[in-house]
Amino acid sequence: MTTTDPTVPVAAVPADIVPSDVTASRASLDVAIRADLDAAIASLSAGESRWAKMTIPARITLLGSVHAAVAATADEWVDAAVRAKNLDPDSAYVGEEWISGPYVVLSSLLALQHTLGAIASGKSPLADTKLGSAPGGRVSVPVLPANPYEALLLHGFSAEVWMKPGTTESTVRASAGLGARTPTETDGVGLVLGAGNITSIPPLDVLYELVAHNRVALLKLNPVMNRMLAPYTAAFKPLIDLGLLRIVTGAGDVGGYLVNHPGISHVHITGSAVTHDVIVWGTGAGAASRKAAGTPLLTKPITSELGGVAPIIVLPGAWSKADLRYQAEHVVTQRLHNGGYNCIAGQIVVLSAQWPQREAFLAELRSALARTPDRAPWYPGSDERVGQARSSYPGAEKFGASGGRLLVDIHADDDAATLLTTEYFSPVLGVIELPGTGQAFLDTAVETVNRDFVGTLGANILGLPSTITQLGTGFENALARLDYGTIAVNTWTALGFLTPGAPWGAFPGHTLDHVQSGIGVVHNSLLLADTEKTIARGPFRPFPRSALHGEFALFPKPPWFVTARSAKKTGRLLAEFAAAPSWFKMPAIFISAFRA
């Protein structure tokens, strides 16, 4: 185990499975490690008092200092991520690390400062926001674009948050701010069990603990991300210096000790439902009986973001050859971004059996899977999970130099159950078909993914603008019936992850004994209460084809596409922009993006 002192040696770190047996966890830990952990929690308890006394203007200043430290550490941050993921430093894939690392954290820090600024002036964070409406009497809150910079940088993209049905406009405005509205009412020390795949997730979770819930944070890194200890320590030094954050590393025994520590008031985990259940219910024969009886081992509240099997619903229409190729790259991006190790990775393409272009689209999918640059598997257990998919579906097609990418095309006589209920967390892409066209197909798709797919984190819909226009209110009502935390229309749900104002998490209503994609949300820089889902929308075609077909969108191929050749430079430029926004930086970003 190490604390925020990088000179302390890191313990050996096997798989990060967290035991919930308190006695076993204590007995398996070295006395010195337990003492270090106890000291870290004690220092955070003192920091909680400091946080309670800190005014909102002082918190804004502190977040500004963190923003500056993250900007100064960005190169070190990305270098560590590249090493952790065994990436070629010259690869275009490095752009993923810039965008899903420093860029999104810097953007979120700016957004949180803006929200706290409104609260400091005695206003709601939504005081100057025009709210809208969504099906079912829902109130909608626009979150993208949030400022003129975003309106140009992400031209053609938008996002809005749909509040839970029955929530009124006045309630939405009055409740925005969460814990920041009562800064002296702190809530102890929160344990954040960090994700092992995307480097912005642990810091964003920590920031949400601090600002939204008034909890100081102990961040335990996933062993896969131990290389991030040094850059995180430098980037978040302003929080560490005030005793508001401690960072530790270690294996499952450290996690087990911490989740059961009396000094921890709350647990937040990003990971799998399996690990969540081990924490909550324990292991072995006793776990099932405790779950059945509703008597969890964990006696403190827990929130979670746990992934799932994300659908990509493709609306049938008359697509051009260029449309088929571009959207095939879009689908492959949703599966292969970060090597396939994303909780929001698109896993199953849902096609109409009556779509005349079904085979043409599948041909383009195969081509995109074949030509996307190879990268070595880096997340533990990836080869085994791909092997399990091959065993379940022997007819799966192999792509890539090592055959590590799979395409599983499910036909009418095949059993799709395993594909629909297993989050492979690896480069496995499935295809299923459903009957119908138009509204009938969309309604069947919504019913199917709600009922049969595991998880509710995100769903994607791709379709011609003319098709969506023709569906009209039927399309919007279908969005309302989709039980997912983020729904992306002609973009990827990852856009919701990158949007600071968008809440990120599962569809609300899950419970400890049926956790699905988790409980609660993070990010949410407007600090909205009672959110239901985020709807993100993008252009069906990149510029200039978008303009030629009547879409008002000036955005080229997105830099997060796995086929974007200039992604490394564009990602760095975006992070530099978020470090110090300026109109003068825009031309370089667009020039690089258009070279994708």
Side-chain angles (χ1 to χ4, degrees), residues 562-587:
V562 291
T563 52
R565 292 171 296 181
S566 58
K568 178 183 176 182
K569 183 175 182 179
T570 305
R572 184 186 186 110
L573 289 171
L574 284 169
E576 290 174 351
F577 174 86
S582 167
W583 293 110
F584 295 106
K585 295 181 179 180
M586 293 282 192

PDB file of all heavy atoms in Angstrom, residues 562-587:
ATOM      1  N   VAL A 562     -11.767   5.824 -33.578  1.00  0.00           N
ATOM      2  CA  VAL A 562     -10.543   5.022 -33.589  1.00  0.00           C
ATOM      3  C   VAL A 562      -9.832   5.090 -34.932  1.00  0.00           C
ATOM      4  O   VAL A 562      -8.691   4.635 -35.059  1.00  0.00           O
ATOM      5  CB  VAL A 562     -10.835   3.551 -33.225  1.00  0.00           C
ATOM      6  CG1 VAL A 562     -11.228   3.433 -31.768  1.00  0.00           C
ATOM      7  CG2 VAL A 562     -11.904   2.946 -34.138  1.00  0.00           C
ATOM      8  N   THR A 563     -10.487   5.651 -35.941  1.00  0.00           N
ATOM      9  CA  THR A 563      -9.860   5.810 -37.255  1.00  0.00           C
ATOM     10  C   THR A 563      -9.392   7.244 -37.494  1.00  0.00           C
ATOM     11  O   THR A 563      -8.976   7.568 -38.613  1.00  0.00           O
ATOM     12  CB  THR A 563     -10.871   5.420 -38.350  1.00  0.00           C
ATOM     13  OG1 THR A 563     -12.096   6.139 -38.142  1.00  0.00           O
ATOM     14  CG2 THR A 563     -11.151   3.928 -38.326  1.00  0.00           C
ATOM     15  N   ALA A 564      -9.434   8.096 -36.465  1.00  0.00           N
ATOM     16  CA  ALA A 564      -9.021   9.495 -36.614  1.00  0.00           C
ATOM     17  C   ALA A 564      -7.493   9.585 -36.569  1.00  0.00           C
ATOM     18  O   ALA A 564      -6.884   9.404 -35.510  1.00  0.00           O
ATOM     19  CB  ALA A 564      -9.645  10.364 -35.525  1.00  0.00           C
ATOM     20  N   ARG A 565      -6.879   9.866 -37.686  1.00  0.00           N
ATOM     21  CA  ARG A 565      -5.415   9.824 -37.788  1.00  0.00           C
ATOM     22  C   ARG A 565      -4.727  10.942 -37.008  1.00  0.00           C
ATOM     23  O   ARG A 565      -3.585  10.791 -36.588  1.00  0.00           O
ATOM     24  CB  ARG A 565      -5.005   9.884 -39.260  1.00  0.00           C
ATOM     25  CG  ARG A 565      -5.381   8.638 -40.060  1.00  0.00           C
ATOM     26  CD  ARG A 565      -5.171   8.827 -41.539  1.00  0.00           C
ATOM     27  NE  ARG A 565      -6.048   9.864 -42.084  1.00  0.00           N
ATOM     28  CZ  ARG A 565      -6.085  10.222 -43.361  1.00  0.00           C
ATOM     29  NH1 ARG A 565      -5.268   9.634 -44.221  1.00  0.00           N
ATOM     30  NH2 ARG A 565      -6.923  11.152 -43.775  1.00  0.00           N
ATOM     31  N   SER A 566      -5.417  12.066 -36.825  1.00  0.00           N
ATOM     32  CA  SER A 566      -4.792  13.205 -36.145  1.00  0.00           C
ATOM     33  C   SER A 566      -5.227  13.308 -34.688  1.00  0.00           C
ATOM     34  O   SER A 566      -5.101  14.362 -34.064  1.00  0.00           O
ATOM     35  CB  SER A 566      -5.155  14.505 -36.870  1.00  0.00           C
ATOM     36  OG  SER A 566      -6.570  14.676 -36.921  1.00  0.00           O
ATOM     37  N   ALA A 567      -5.742  12.217 -34.122  1.00  0.00           N
ATOM     38  CA  ALA A 567      -6.339  12.266 -32.779  1.00  0.00           C
ATOM     39  C   ALA A 567      -5.340  12.677 -31.708  1.00  0.00           C
ATOM     40  O   ALA A 567      -5.688  13.388 -30.768  1.00  0.00           O
ATOM     41  CB  ALA A 567      -6.935  10.905 -32.444  1.00  0.00           C
ATOM     42  N   LYS A 568      -4.086  12.231 -31.821  1.00  0.00           N
ATOM     43  CA  LYS A 568      -3.109  12.560 -30.782  1.00  0.00           C
ATOM     44  C   LYS A 568      -2.926  14.075 -30.675  1.00  0.00           C
ATOM     45  O   LYS A 568      -3.000  14.648 -29.574  1.00  0.00           O
ATOM     46  CB  LYS A 568      -1.765  11.888 -31.073  1.00  0.00           C
ATOM     47  CG  LYS A 568      -0.685  12.237 -30.046  1.00  0.00           C
ATOM     48  CD  LYS A 568       0.658  11.612 -30.408  1.00  0.00           C
ATOM     49  CE  LYS A 568       1.734  12.060 -29.412  1.00  0.00           C
ATOM     50  NZ  LYS A 568       3.063  11.498 -29.771  1.00  0.00           N
ATOM     51  N   LYS A 569      -2.714  14.737 -31.806  1.00  0.00           N
ATOM     52  CA  LYS A 569      -2.506  16.179 -31.770  1.00  0.00           C
ATOM     53  C   LYS A 569      -3.776  16.911 -31.375  1.00  0.00           C
ATOM     54  O   LYS A 569      -3.742  17.847 -30.567  1.00  0.00           O
ATOM     55  CB  LYS A 569      -2.023  16.672 -33.135  1.00  0.00           C
ATOM     56  CG  LYS A 569      -1.716  18.174 -33.147  1.00  0.00           C
ATOM     57  CD  LYS A 569      -1.121  18.615 -34.477  1.00  0.00           C
ATOM     58  CE  LYS A 569      -0.790  20.111 -34.440  1.00  0.00           C
ATOM     59  NZ  LYS A 569      -0.188  20.560 -35.729  1.00  0.00           N
ATOM     60  N   THR A 570      -4.917  16.484 -31.924  1.00  0.00           N
ATOM     61  CA  THR A 570      -6.175  17.149 -31.605  1.00  0.00           C
ATOM     62  C   THR A 570      -6.497  17.013 -30.121  1.00  0.00           C
ATOM     63  O   THR A 570      -6.946  17.966 -29.476  1.00  0.00           O
ATOM     64  CB  THR A 570      -7.325  16.568 -32.442  1.00  0.00           C
ATOM     65  OG1 THR A 570      -6.987  16.640 -33.826  1.00  0.00           O
ATOM     66  CG2 THR A 570      -8.611  17.335 -32.202  1.00  0.00           C
ATOM     67  N   GLY A 571      -6.277  15.830 -29.561  1.00  0.00           N
ATOM     68  CA  GLY A 571      -6.545  15.625 -28.145  1.00  0.00           C
ATOM     69  C   GLY A 571      -5.701  16.521 -27.269  1.00  0.00           C
ATOM     70  O   GLY A 571      -6.195  17.112 -26.302  1.00  0.00           O
ATOM     71  N   ARG A 572      -4.428  16.648 -27.613  1.00  0.00           N
ATOM     72  CA  ARG A 572      -3.558  17.523 -26.831  1.00  0.00           C
ATOM     73  C   ARG A 572      -4.010  18.976 -26.944  1.00  0.00           C
ATOM     74  O   ARG A 572      -4.034  19.710 -25.947  1.00  0.00           O
ATOM     75  CB  ARG A 572      -2.116  17.378 -27.311  1.00  0.00           C
ATOM     76  CG  ARG A 572      -1.148  18.203 -26.472  1.00  0.00           C
ATOM     77  CD  ARG A 572       0.270  18.188 -27.029  1.00  0.00           C
ATOM     78  NE  ARG A 572       1.146  18.882 -26.101  1.00  0.00           N
ATOM     79  CZ  ARG A 572       2.072  18.304 -25.361  1.00  0.00           C
ATOM     80  NH1 ARG A 572       2.248  16.993 -25.434  1.00  0.00           N
ATOM     81  NH2 ARG A 572       2.818  19.005 -24.534  1.00  0.00           N
ATOM     82  N   LEU A 573      -4.368  19.396 -28.149  1.00  0.00           N
ATOM     83  CA  LEU A 573      -4.818  20.779 -28.337  1.00  0.00           C
ATOM     84  C   LEU A 573      -6.102  21.053 -27.555  1.00  0.00           C
ATOM     85  O   LEU A 573      -6.278  22.144 -27.002  1.00  0.00           O
ATOM     86  CB  LEU A 573      -5.033  21.055 -29.822  1.00  0.00           C
ATOM     87  CG  LEU A 573      -3.773  21.135 -30.681  1.00  0.00           C
ATOM     88  CD1 LEU A 573      -4.138  21.201 -32.169  1.00  0.00           C
ATOM     89  CD2 LEU A 573      -2.921  22.351 -30.292  1.00  0.00           C
ATOM     90  N   LEU A 574      -6.996  20.079 -27.490  1.00  0.00           N
ATOM     91  CA  LEU A 574      -8.222  20.250 -26.714  1.00  0.00           C
ATOM     92  C   LEU A 574      -7.907  20.396 -25.229  1.00  0.00           C
ATOM     93  O   LEU A 574      -8.506  21.232 -24.529  1.00  0.00           O
ATOM     94  CB  LEU A 574      -9.157  19.062 -26.939  1.00  0.00           C
ATOM     95  CG  LEU A 574      -9.907  19.041 -28.266  1.00  0.00           C
ATOM     96  CD1 LEU A 574     -10.579  17.690 -28.483  1.00  0.00           C
ATOM     97  CD2 LEU A 574     -10.940  20.172 -28.320  1.00  0.00           C
ATOM     98  N   ALA A 575      -6.968  19.605 -24.727  1.00  0.00           N
ATOM     99  CA  ALA A 575      -6.583  19.719 -23.324  1.00  0.00           C
ATOM    100  C   ALA A 575      -5.930  21.073 -23.037  1.00  0.00           C
ATOM    101  O   ALA A 575      -6.192  21.695 -22.003  1.00  0.00           O
ATOM    102  CB  ALA A 575      -5.645  18.578 -22.936  1.00  0.00           C
ATOM    103  N   GLU A 576      -5.105  21.526 -23.959  1.00  0.00           N
ATOM    104  CA  GLU A 576      -4.481  22.843 -23.779  1.00  0.00           C
ATOM    105  C   GLU A 576      -5.520  23.952 -23.813  1.00  0.00           C
ATOM    106  O   GLU A 576      -5.404  24.954 -23.096  1.00  0.00           O
ATOM    107  CB  GLU A 576      -3.423  23.057 -24.863  1.00  0.00           C
ATOM    108  CG  GLU A 576      -2.196  22.163 -24.692  1.00  0.00           C
ATOM    109  CD  GLU A 576      -1.228  22.278 -25.857  1.00  0.00           C
ATOM    110  OE1 GLU A 576      -1.577  22.917 -26.883  1.00  0.00           O
ATOM    111  OE2 GLU A 576      -0.115  21.708 -25.752  1.00  0.00           O
ATOM    112  N   PHE A 577      -6.554  23.762 -24.631  1.00  0.00           N
ATOM    113  CA  PHE A 577      -7.640  24.732 -24.656  1.00  0.00           C
ATOM    114  C   PHE A 577      -8.372  24.746 -23.315  1.00  0.00           C
ATOM    115  O   PHE A 577      -8.657  25.810 -22.751  1.00  0.00           O
ATOM    116  CB  PHE A 577      -8.619  24.407 -25.782  1.00  0.00           C
ATOM    117  CG  PHE A 577      -9.839  25.281 -25.789  1.00  0.00           C
ATOM    118  CD1 PHE A 577      -9.813  26.502 -26.441  1.00  0.00           C
ATOM    119  CD2 PHE A 577     -11.002  24.900 -25.121  1.00  0.00           C
ATOM    120  CE1 PHE A 577     -10.927  27.336 -26.427  1.00  0.00           C
ATOM    121  CE2 PHE A 577     -12.114  25.716 -25.106  1.00  0.00           C
ATOM    122  CZ  PHE A 577     -12.079  26.936 -25.758  1.00  0.00           C
ATOM    123  N   ALA A 578      -8.705  23.560 -22.785  1.00  0.00           N
ATOM    124  CA  ALA A 578      -9.420  23.489 -21.510  1.00  0.00           C
ATOM    125  C   ALA A 578      -8.581  24.027 -20.361  1.00  0.00           C
ATOM    126  O   ALA A 578      -9.120  24.483 -19.350  1.00  0.00           O
ATOM    127  CB  ALA A 578      -9.839  22.048 -21.225  1.00  0.00           C
ATOM    128  N   ALA A 579      -7.258  24.013 -20.526  1.00  0.00           N
ATOM    129  CA  ALA A 579      -6.382  24.571 -19.497  1.00  0.00           C
ATOM    130  C   ALA A 579      -6.439  26.094 -19.476  1.00  0.00           C
ATOM    131  O   ALA A 579      -6.315  26.722 -18.415  1.00  0.00           O
ATOM    132  CB  ALA A 579      -4.946  24.103 -19.715  1.00  0.00           C
ATOM    133  N   ALA A 580      -6.648  26.710 -20.639  1.00  0.00           N
ATOM    134  CA  ALA A 580      -6.719  28.172 -20.748  1.00  0.00           C
ATOM    135  C   ALA A 580      -7.538  28.517 -21.980  1.00  0.00           C
ATOM    136  O   ALA A 580      -6.978  28.785 -23.049  1.00  0.00           O
ATOM    137  CB  ALA A 580      -5.318  28.783 -20.831  1.00  0.00           C
ATOM    138  N   PRO A 581      -8.875  28.490 -21.874  1.00  0.00           N
ATOM    139  CA  PRO A 581      -9.732  28.712 -23.048  1.00  0.00           C
ATOM    140  C   PRO A 581      -9.461  30.053 -23.714  1.00  0.00           C
ATOM    141  O   PRO A 581      -9.286  31.078 -23.049  1.00  0.00           O
ATOM    142  CB  PRO A 581     -11.146  28.667 -22.455  1.00  0.00           C
ATOM    143  CG  PRO A 581     -11.016  27.834 -21.227  1.00  0.00           C
ATOM    144  CD  PRO A 581      -9.662  28.176 -20.667  1.00  0.00           C
ATOM    145  N   SER A 582      -9.418  30.039 -25.036  1.00  0.00           N
ATOM    146  CA  SER A 582      -9.171  31.252 -25.808  1.00  0.00           C
ATOM    147  C   SER A 582      -9.652  31.027 -27.233  1.00  0.00           C
ATOM    148  O   SER A 582      -9.451  29.948 -27.801  1.00  0.00           O
ATOM    149  CB  SER A 582      -7.672  31.604 -25.815  1.00  0.00           C
ATOM    150  OG  SER A 582      -7.387  32.580 -26.791  1.00  0.00           O
ATOM    151  N   TRP A 583     -10.278  32.050 -27.805  1.00  0.00           N
ATOM    152  CA  TRP A 583     -10.698  31.960 -29.201  1.00  0.00           C
ATOM    153  C   TRP A 583      -9.502  31.774 -30.133  1.00  0.00           C
ATOM    154  O   TRP A 583      -9.625  31.164 -31.201  1.00  0.00           O
ATOM    155  CB  TRP A 583     -11.473  33.216 -29.615  1.00  0.00           C
ATOM    156  CG  TRP A 583     -12.792  33.358 -28.922  1.00  0.00           C
ATOM    157  CD1 TRP A 583     -13.139  34.280 -27.978  1.00  0.00           C
ATOM    158  CD2 TRP A 583     -13.964  32.552 -29.121  1.00  0.00           C
ATOM    159  NE1 TRP A 583     -14.443  34.099 -27.567  1.00  0.00           N
ATOM    160  CE2 TRP A 583     -14.978  33.044 -28.265  1.00  0.00           C
ATOM    161  CE3 TRP A 583     -14.258  31.457 -29.939  1.00  0.00           C
ATOM    162  CZ2 TRP A 583     -16.247  32.491 -28.197  1.00  0.00           C
ATOM    163  CZ3 TRP A 583     -15.523  30.900 -29.875  1.00  0.00           C
ATOM    164  CH2 TRP A 583     -16.508  31.411 -29.022  1.00  0.00           C
ATOM    165  N   PHE A 584      -8.350  32.269 -29.721  1.00  0.00           N
ATOM    166  CA  PHE A 584      -7.163  32.189 -30.565  1.00  0.00           C
ATOM    167  C   PHE A 584      -6.653  30.755 -30.729  1.00  0.00           C
ATOM    168  O   PHE A 584      -5.877  30.469 -31.645  1.00  0.00           O
ATOM    169  CB  PHE A 584      -6.046  33.072 -30.001  1.00  0.00           C
ATOM    170  CG  PHE A 584      -6.363  34.539 -30.018  1.00  0.00           C
ATOM    171  CD1 PHE A 584      -6.671  35.211 -28.845  1.00  0.00           C
ATOM    172  CD2 PHE A 584      -6.380  35.248 -31.215  1.00  0.00           C
ATOM    173  CE1 PHE A 584      -6.984  36.554 -28.861  1.00  0.00           C
ATOM    174  CE2 PHE A 584      -6.685  36.605 -31.244  1.00  0.00           C
ATOM    175  CZ  PHE A 584      -6.995  37.265 -30.059  1.00  0.00           C
ATOM    176  N   LYS A 585      -7.081  29.863 -29.843  1.00  0.00           N
ATOM    177  CA  LYS A 585      -6.660  28.462 -29.944  1.00  0.00           C
ATOM    178  C   LYS A 585      -7.559  27.640 -30.866  1.00  0.00           C
ATOM    179  O   LYS A 585      -7.226  26.489 -31.195  1.00  0.00           O
ATOM    180  CB  LYS A 585      -6.632  27.825 -28.547  1.00  0.00           C
ATOM    181  CG  LYS A 585      -5.590  28.434 -27.617  1.00  0.00           C
ATOM    182  CD  LYS A 585      -5.594  27.750 -26.253  1.00  0.00           C
ATOM    183  CE  LYS A 585      -4.528  28.359 -25.343  1.00  0.00           C
ATOM    184  NZ  LYS A 585      -4.502  27.721 -24.012  1.00  0.00           N
ATOM    185  N   MET A 586      -8.686  28.197 -31.239  1.00  0.00           N
ATOM    186  CA  MET A 586      -9.654  27.446 -32.037  1.00  0.00           C
ATOM    187  C   MET A 586      -9.128  27.021 -33.411  1.00  0.00           C
ATOM    188  O   MET A 586      -9.306  25.866 -33.820  1.00  0.00           O
ATOM    189  CB  MET A 586     -10.936  28.265 -32.217  1.00  0.00           C
ATOM    190  CG  MET A 586     -11.708  28.492 -30.937  1.00  0.00           C
ATOM    191  SD  MET A 586     -12.635  27.015 -30.495  1.00  0.00           S
ATOM    192  CE  MET A 586     -13.682  27.688 -29.205  1.00  0.00           C
ATOM    193  N   PRO A 587      -8.490  27.897 -34.168  1.00  0.00           N
ATOM    194  CA  PRO A 587      -8.061  27.498 -35.518  1.00  0.00           C
ATOM    195  C   PRO A 587      -7.172  26.259 -35.537  1.00  0.00           C
ATOM    196  O   PRO A 587      -7.365  25.370 -36.377  1.00  0.00           O
ATOM    197  CB  PRO A 587      -7.321  28.737 -36.042  1.00  0.00           C
ATOM    198  CG  PRO A 587      -7.938  29.877 -35.288  1.00  0.00           C
ATOM    199  CD  PRO A 587      -8.213  29.333 -33.919  1.00  0.00           C
TER     200      PRO A 587
END
